[in-house]
Amino acid sequence: MFNIVIFGAPGSGKGTQSEYLINHYGLFHISTGDVLRDHIKRGTELGKIASSYINDGKLIPDELMICILENVLDEHPEEEKKGVIFDGFPRTTEQAKALKEMLERRGGKVDVVIGLDVPEAELIDRLIKRGKESGRSDDNMETIKKRLEVYHNQTSPLRDHYVAEGVYAAINGTGSIESIFDSIKAAVDNCRK
Ligand code: AMP
């Protein structure tokens, strides 16, 4: 079991690089954003609650989000054994604490945090471009600005938390997708030794 947190601002390439990680290491991928969008698509009660937060660029409350994540793990015991890529979770210190406790109870830990660094102007360009292609409701200028603010205020402090734990690997998230993945692979392989 080898668990990776892929960490970075909206638009930093977490989803794209997760695809490469899945293909290369065969790990189980949990994108909390995808889980929520699936609920919205299916019109579940949770989807109704989540859509107002997502459209507003705000985070789903910690207690609810932590519960959703643990449910996904409970529903996939075999996949969890392979190791998990956590994409979009944790986003707050409360979530990081919960993830640590959750994994400890399950006999695991966060083995490496891959932090993707991308300058703000490039993040905005990428998100606007993605909005045109994907039609995601939160990829519009107003919501993008709010999401970046939320990231700076609530999520980016986690970097120091994971640096202090000795598991943070800073990766330059600009350049070709392949060259970024080469740097990620080097960081992951270094931790797997
Ligand atoms: P993402 O697809 O990771 O960019 O997430 C899209 C939106 O889903 C975020 O802007 C939040 O509203 C919500 N979301 C996803 N993951 C989390 C999380 N770990 N905690 C709270 N809200 C989340």
Side-chain angles (χ1 to χ4, degrees):
M1 186 179 184
F2 188 84
N3 298 310
I4 301 175
V5 168
I6 186 140
F7 182 80
S12 58
K14 299 188 295 295
T16 305
Q17 293 299 334
S18 289
E19 290 299 320
Y20 278 66
L21 284 166
I22 298 164
N23 289 337
H24 192 79
Y25 295 104
L27 301 172
F28 179 49
H29 177 228
I30 305 176
S31 154
T32 43
D34 285 349
V35 172
L36 297 170
R37 281 184 289 276
D38 181 57
H39 274 276
I40 295 172
K41 209 164 84 189
R42 289 188 284 120
T44 67
E45 278 311 305
L46 174 59
K48 284 177 198 148
I49 297 169
S51 68
S52 62
Y53 287 99
I54 292 182
N55 292 337
D56 221 13
K58 292 187 182 145
L59 297 182
I60 275 72
D62 282 336
E63 206 182 329
L64 179 58
M65 201 64 238
I66 291 162
C67 185
I68 294 168
L69 182 80
E70 189 142 29
N71 280 342
V72 177
L73 289 175
D74 286 342
E75 283 163 7
H76 298 87
E78 286 311 309
E79 290 89 340
E80 185 191 346
K81 279 186 204 148
K82 295 188 232 165
V84 181
I85 303 161
F86 294 94
D87 167 2
F89 190 102
R91 267 175 151 100
T92 64
T93 40
E94 197 57 40
Q95 291 181 14
K97 213 174 114 218
L99 182 62
K100 189 180 170 126
E101 289 167 4
M102 205 184 290
L103 290 176
E104 261 168 22
R105 280 199 302 276
R106 293 165 174 272
K109 63 181 168 54
V110 170
D111 291 284
V112 64
V113 176
I114 298 294
L116 296 171
D117 290 324
V118 178
E120 184 114 349
E122 186 163 339
L123 292 173
I124 295 172
D125 282 352
R126 288 184 188 181
L127 290 167
I128 292 193
K129 191 162 167 260
R130 184 175 73 184
K132 285 184 189 140
E133 287 160 5
S134 72
R136 253 179 72 160
S137 62
D138 55 349
D139 283 343
N140 59 76
M141 201 55 205
E142 197 190 335
T143 315
I144 288 168
K145 282 201 174 137
K146 284 194 203 158
R147 286 159 66 205
L148 288 173
E149 213 177 286
V150 165
Y151 173 76
H152 290 304
N153 294 336
Q154 294 178 260
T155 308
S156 69
L158 287 182
R159 170 198 284 256
D160 290 346
H161 168 90
Y162 283 121
V163 168
E165 294 215 335
V167 291
Y168 192 85
I171 302 288
N172 176 359
T174 63
S176 74
I177 293 172
E178 288 75 18
S179 69
I180 299 167
F181 185 62
D182 282 344
S183 310
I184 293 177
K185 219 166 35 179
V188 170
D189 290 343
N190 193 36
C191 294
R192 278 162 70 98
K193 272 180 198 155

